Amino acid sequence: MRKGGEMREEDNEGVVMANDFFWSYTDEPHASRRRQILSQYPQIKELFGPDPFAFFKIAVVVSLQLCTAIILHDAGWLKMLAIAYFFGSFLNHNLFLAIHELSHNLAFSTSVYNRWLGIFANLPIGVPMSITFQKYHLEHHRFQGVDGIDMDVPSCTEAQFVTNTISKAIWVIFQLFFYALRPLFLKPKPPGYWEFINLAIQVALDGILLYFWGWKSFAYLILSTFVGGGMHPMAGHFISEHYVFNPEQETYSYYGPLNLMTWCVGYHNEHHDFPRIPGNKLHKVKEIAPEYYEGLDSYKSWSQVIYMYIMDRSIGPFSRMKRKLSKKSA
C-alpha cells in the first residue's frame, strides 16, 4: 500500500496533511483472516446466528425514548437540549447501531422479520433510514474501501474542504449528515418497496407526535439523533473503525465500556471478520483466537479518538484506505 498524492498543507511544526487517500493493491484483509481463523478454530461457527434478546432490547429503548419525548412536550428548549445530549443521544445512537445489527439479520433467522424490526427501531430516530442503510452497509462489507462503491469512505469534496483543526471540528459535528447524504449524491439507488414502507410508518409516527404532543416532542427526537451523531462519545466509532492512524492497518477495534451500549460495534475487526456473529458474542472471537487480534492497534476511548482526529494535523478525511475493484470481488 502507499499514501497517494503529494503533501498539501504544512504548519510551522512541519506536520503535513496529504491530498489523497491511502491506496491498497491487495484485497481487504477480513475475508482471508476469516478463512485462516475458521481453519484453525472451526468452533467459531457455533457463534453464528441471531441474538435471541435483540427484540426485547430494542423494544425497551424505543419505548423509553418515545415516552421521554412525550414527557418533554412542554419542556424548555435548554432543558430539552441537555436531556437530548446526555440521555436521548445515547438511546438514539443505540438504536442506530441496532439497525446496523439488523442489517446483518442478527435478530431473527428470517430476513423480513429483521426488516420490520429495523423499521420499528427507526421510529425514535425521526428520519427513515433503516432500509436504505442496509443497502449501502452490506456493500461496505463486501467492497470495503473500493473506490466508487464503499460509501463509508468520505468523498474527495469533503476531504478538500476539511483541511485544518477548525474544519475538522465542524465536520465531526455534522458527520451524521455527511454519512447519511454521501451515498445519495455519489451512488444513488432507486427506492424500493421497503423504503416506501419505512417512509410511511416513520411519517405516521412523526405526524402522531406532532398532532398530539407538538413540535417539542418531535424536536427532542431529532436533537437526540443529531447530537448523538456529532461531537459525542458514542459517535467516535464512526472515526475509530476505519480511519487510518497506522498505515499498515485499515480496521480498528475499540475495547471500552461503551460497547455495552452500542451492540459491541467496537469489536470492529471481529465484526468484519465474522459479520454473522451478533455483537453480544463478538468478544468470544477474540477470546478463542487472541493471536489474530492482540497484535492489532485498538482503542479504549472513543472520545480520545475524536480528539486525536481533530488535533492531529496529519489526519483528515483522506485518512482512509481505498482500493480498485478486483475481478475477484466484481
Side-chain angles (χ1 to χ4, degrees):
M1 66 189 68
R2 69 173 177 83
K3 183 69 174 177
E6 298 177 353
M7 298 305 183
R8 173 182 59 205
E9 183 174 297
E10 182 169 354
D11 67 5
N12 54 11
E13 296 178 352
V15 181
V16 292
M17 186 180 293
N19 67 353
D20 197 2
F21 297 96
F22 289 88
W23 285 92
S24 173
Y25 301 100
T26 62
D27 290 336
E28 55 86 14
H30 302 288
S32 59
R33 186 160 63 218
R34 181 186 311 120
R35 290 191 294 269
Q36 293 172 11
I37 293 175
L38 286 177
S39 67
Q40 189 172 353
Y41 302 103
Q43 67 268 35
I44 282 181
K45 290 184 178 180
E46 298 174 8
L47 303 176
F48 291 5
D51 175 1
F53 301 104
F55 174 80
F56 173 76
K57 290 185 284 189
I58 291 171
V60 168
V61 177
V62 168
S63 300
L64 182 58
Q65 183 69 321
L66 291 180
C67 287
T68 303
I70 292 171
I71 291 170
L72 294 175
H73 74 278
D74 60 352
W77 287 105
L78 186 60
K79 177 181 179 181
M80 181 190 300
L81 179 59
I83 295 175
Y85 188 86
F86 292 105
F87 180 71
S89 58
F90 289 89
L91 299 184
N92 273 14
H93 210 101
N94 172 278
L95 291 172
F96 174 81
L97 292 169
I99 290 170
H100 165 264
E101 193 89 342
L102 295 167
S103 72
H104 293 285
N105 296 321
L106 291 174
F108 301 104
S109 298
T110 305
S111 61
V112 68
Y113 297 156
N114 290 281
R115 289 183 182 181
W116 281 116
L117 186 55
I119 291 171
F120 175 69
N122 197 155
L123 293 176
I125 293 175
V127 179
M129 49 73 65
S130 175
I131 302 300
T132 303
F133 171 82
Q134 182 182 31
K135 285 185 175 181
Y136 290 102
H137 183 68
L138 295 181
E139 288 186 341
H140 164 62
H141 274 263
R142 183 181 176 188
F143 303 102
Q144 180 176 313
V146 173
D147 189 29
I149 298 180
D150 184 1
M151 291 295 103
D152 190 72
V153 179
S155 66
C156 289
T157 302
E158 291 171 64
Q160 287 166 359
F161 281 97
V162 179
T163 60
N164 55 49
T165 299
I166 294 174
S167 58
K168 282 193 288 183
I170 294 171
W171 184 90
V172 168
I173 292 171
F174 293 98
Q175 66 178 320
L176 196 60
F177 288 98
F178 291 109
Y179 191 86
L181 297 177
R182 185 186 304 134
L184 302 182
F185 283 96
L186 298 183
K187 195 173 183 284
K189 296 176 181 287
Y193 175 75
W194 281 99
E195 272 102 344
F196 288 112
I197 293 177
N198 193 178
L199 174 64
I201 293 175
Q202 188 65 55
V203 169
L205 183 279
D206 294 345
I208 290 170
L209 274 179
L210 289 167
Y211 183 81
F212 288 102
W213 293 283
W215 281 98
K216 287 189 176 180
S217 291
F218 177 67
Y220 165 74
L221 297 181
I222 297 299
L223 279 172
S224 296
T225 299
F226 171 66
V227 298
M231 197 74 74
H232 189 279
M234 287 176 75
H237 77 88
F238 288 125
I239 298 172
S240 74
E241 292 167 356
H242 298 290
Y243 278 79
V244 177
F245 286 81
N246 171 3
E248 301 303 316
Q249 186 175 330
E250 62 179 289
T251 304
Y252 302 77
S253 289
Y254 156 85
Y255 301 124
L258 286 178
N259 274 315
L260 296 173
M261 303 180 67
T262 57
W263 299 80
C264 293
V265 74
Y267 286 83
H268 214 66
N269 266 300
E270 295 84 344
H271 168 62
H272 270 264
D273 289 350
F274 298 99
R276 294 173 61 189
I277 297 179
N280 65 336
K281 294 180 181 179
L282 284 174
H283 68 281
K284 295 182 180 180
V285 175
K286 187 170 183 284
E287 293 171 2
I288 293 171
E291 67 272 26
Y292 287 94
Y293 299 102
E294 290 181 349
L296 299 176
D297 288 350
S298 61
Y299 304 109
K300 293 184 178 179
S301 169
W302 276 329
S303 297
Q304 183 183 21
V305 171
I306 294 175
Y307 177 82
M308 289 163 52
Y309 175 80
I310 294 173
M311 300 306 296
D312 188 334
R313 292 182 175 88
S314 68
I315 301 297
F318 275 131
S319 300
R320 289 292 300 263
M321 192 72 68
K322 295 186 78 171
R323 52 178 51 83
K324 297 296 183 181
L325 180 65
S326 67
K327 293 181 180 179
K328 186 189 304 183
S329 301

